[in-house]
Amino acid sequence: MSPSVVKFDHLERMTDDTGLLEHSLGRIPRRREGYSTDDNARAIWLCLEWLDLLGDDALDERRRLIWLLDRYLAFLLWAQREDGWFQNNFYFDRTPESETRSDDCLGRSLWATAVAYVQLGDMARKRVAAEILRRSLAAGRELRFLRGQAWGLATCGLLLNERSGDSALPSGVTEDGLAELANTFEQRLLAAYRAHRTEDWRWFEPQITYANGLLPWALFVAYRYHGKRETLQVAKESFDFLLTKMSGRDGVIRPVGNRGWCDAERRADWDQQPIDVMKLALAAREAYRATGDEAYREVVRRCRNWFYGDNDLGTPLADPSDGSCCDGLNPDGPNPNRGAESTLSYLLTEAIARSLGFEEDVENRFDRAVVSHV
């Protein structure tokens, strides 16, 4: 099957000359709700994942993704402040909303521009990614929260894994400086795990909340860089625990719901978010790369299938005919809106699965899920 079976029509629909709009009503963009740097950073990463997958026979799709990539890179270049941090939220008229600075936004932007710097062969675009990345890394030393630090650790690990000497790093960024920053982030994650781990609770925090797969994922990335046994042990133990909390009957992926999260006493089941499934797939891919364990590769397949109907309600959230995805799963069915975050989560999960060789015909899979649900 050609990867072009999955479409990027909805991503293009949600993108204008400024960048990627954040929300939609159904499939129609809600312009008055503006833009977020979070989504534009994710979109950079998405374009690069798919450009790496699409062959030369998919020339039109490659051209479309490069067109989109340029808008998202321009958005981050515009949104970055002089201190290296980012304005995250903008109104439709491009004026900034009132906000406090966001660790998550800086972390996502670090990762996206690092992937761009490593993967882009075009020097003009690579130069833009290098400039954003250089300033972001300087700001990254101020990251205070675990998810931002996880993004930072993975970014350092990616750059260190891909380097071929200091000449391969952005100007002003050194291997020693990256290694020091990576170690700082890694030790904070490990310390959080030691502080909260018990025999019955093997997690970094007293609750499992959002984007949880990021935490073990970053440690798997770090392990592939330096090979430290404790890092791998914590990554595996925490990921395996998370997987038990995100699995239902017959192994169906069941993300922790936004309506109350999960702690040692209870678990919220609803308002399941596509982004949590994507982050689980991301961590599972890195676990597979780090260990070679086929069980982790199978987790990626299960995450992918959640979008096509292997979920608590047996109903698809993603539509491969335009590449859109519903915003969440509730007890009465999917949220019909198809905003940027959910659509990016679906398309990234599909790319993650394709990168590991899962190339089932998604249109047939989607059709079977619809018929089964009806």
Side-chain angles (χ1 to χ4, degrees):
M1 180 194 68
S2 168
S4 63
V5 167
V6 173
K7 304 295 184 182
F8 306 104
D9 296 354
H10 189 60
L11 185 64
E12 185 173 2
R13 183 186 299 132
M14 294 288 291
T15 303
D16 63 16
D17 288 343
T18 300
L20 181 61
L21 289 151
E22 187 170 9
H23 295 295
S24 69
L25 179 61
R27 298 173 197 256
I28 304 303
R30 289 180 185 261
R31 289 180 174 142
R32 68 180 177 184
E33 296 185 18
Y35 314 85
S36 78
T37 300
D38 280 338
D39 289 330
N40 282 269
R42 293 184 186 107
I44 290 171
W45 177 23
L46 169 73
C47 290
L48 293 163
E49 286 274 350
W50 277 99
L51 284 168
D52 194 47
L53 289 169
L54 293 171
D56 293 337
D57 59 331
L59 185 59
D60 288 344
E61 289 302 312
R62 292 183 65 85
R63 285 173 174 163
R64 175 153 61 160
L65 286 172
I66 290 169
W67 182 89
L68 291 167
L69 176 64
D70 285 348
R71 272 131 190 89
Y72 307 142
L73 279 170
F75 190 99
L76 258 66
L77 188 62
W78 167 60
Q80 190 171 37
R81 301 167 178 165
E82 290 301 316
D83 63 2
W85 288 76
F86 291 85
Q87 171 71 29
N88 191 18
N89 297 295
F90 293 87
Y91 295 109
F92 182 64
D93 67 1
R94 300 184 178 181
T95 57
E97 297 183 25
S98 178
E99 64 181 29
T100 57
R101 68 186 191 183
S102 165
D103 270 40
D104 285 359
C105 180
L106 176 58
R108 291 185 186 101
S109 300
L110 272 169
W111 173 253
T113 51
V115 174
Y117 181 78
V118 167
Q119 290 189 204
L120 285 172
D122 177 87
M123 290 308 298
R125 294 182 177 90
K126 193 180 187 80
R127 191 175 301 117
V128 172
E131 174 62 17
I132 301 170
L133 180 59
R134 179 186 62 79
R135 294 166 63 189
S136 300
L137 282 167
R141 297 183 179 277
E142 300 177 57
L143 288 166
R144 297 180 297 151
F145 301 108
L146 288 183
R147 283 159 184 76
Q149 292 165 1
W151 284 116
L153 174 57
T155 296
C156 294
L158 173 66
L159 293 170
L160 290 165
N161 278 326
E162 298 292 334
R163 77 198 184 290
S164 57
D166 279 357
S167 61
L169 297 173
S171 175
V173 178
T174 67
E175 184 177 336
D176 287 346
L178 280 176
E180 178 188 359
L181 189 58
N183 183 65
T184 297
F185 293 144
E186 183 176 0
Q187 293 308 312
R188 289 175 183 171
L189 285 172
L190 293 175
Y193 188 76
R194 295 186 202 108
H196 292 99
R197 180 195 182 278
T198 68
E199 283 303 308
D200 299 324
W201 187 259
R202 302 193 174 191
W203 194 241
F204 303 83
E205 300 167 308
Q207 281 190 314
I208 294 174
T209 56
Y210 72 99
N212 302 292
L214 279 181
L215 305 181
W217 167 69
L219 292 176
F220 281 123
V221 174
Y223 171 75
R224 288 215 292 144
Y225 157 59
H226 58 47
K228 293 179 182 177
R229 181 172 297 181
E230 181 190 8
T231 300
L232 178 61
Q233 179 183 348
V234 172
K236 280 176 54 64
E237 191 173 273
S238 60
F239 179 75
D240 292 346
F241 178 76
L242 177 63
L243 185 58
T244 66
K245 297 297 184 182
M246 288 186 62
S247 297
R249 183 178 299 176
D250 298 326
V252 168
I253 295 301
R254 195 182 194 208
V256 171
N258 270 14
R259 300 181 189 176
W261 309 124
C262 172
D263 58 28
E265 304 299 326
R266 62 180 297 275
R267 178 195 187 281
D269 293 335
W270 295 111
D271 199 6
Q272 297 178 13
Q273 297 289 296
I275 194 167
D276 289 313
V277 180
M278 183 273 282
K279 296 293 173 57
L280 190 70
L282 179 68
R285 177 174 69 174
E286 201 63 30
Y288 174 68
R289 289 173 171 173
T291 68
D293 188 337
E294 284 289 331
Y296 292 129
R297 183 172 177 270
E298 174 63 14
V299 173
V300 173
R301 185 189 66 81
R302 288 161 52 196
C303 289
R304 178 186 193 251
N305 290 351
W306 181 87
F307 289 91
Y308 297 123
D310 284 354
N311 51 52
D312 280 346
L313 296 185
T315 185
L317 282 81
D319 184 350
S321 71
D322 68 354
S324 66
C325 181
C326 296
D327 281 352
L329 190 64
N330 298 308
D332 58 349
N335 180 328
N337 298 326
R338 296 170 182 260
E341 180 183 280
S342 55
T343 292
L344 293 166
S345 297
Y346 158 56
L347 292 172
L348 277 165
T349 304
E350 184 65 38
I352 289 166
R354 299 290 180 91
S355 74
L356 295 183
F358 293 111
E359 294 193 358
E360 181 185 2
D361 188 330
V362 297
E363 288 185 334
N364 288 341
R365 183 108 176 66
F366 174 78
D367 290 342
R368 289 199 305 273
V370 170
V371 169
S372 173
H373 182 61
V374 171

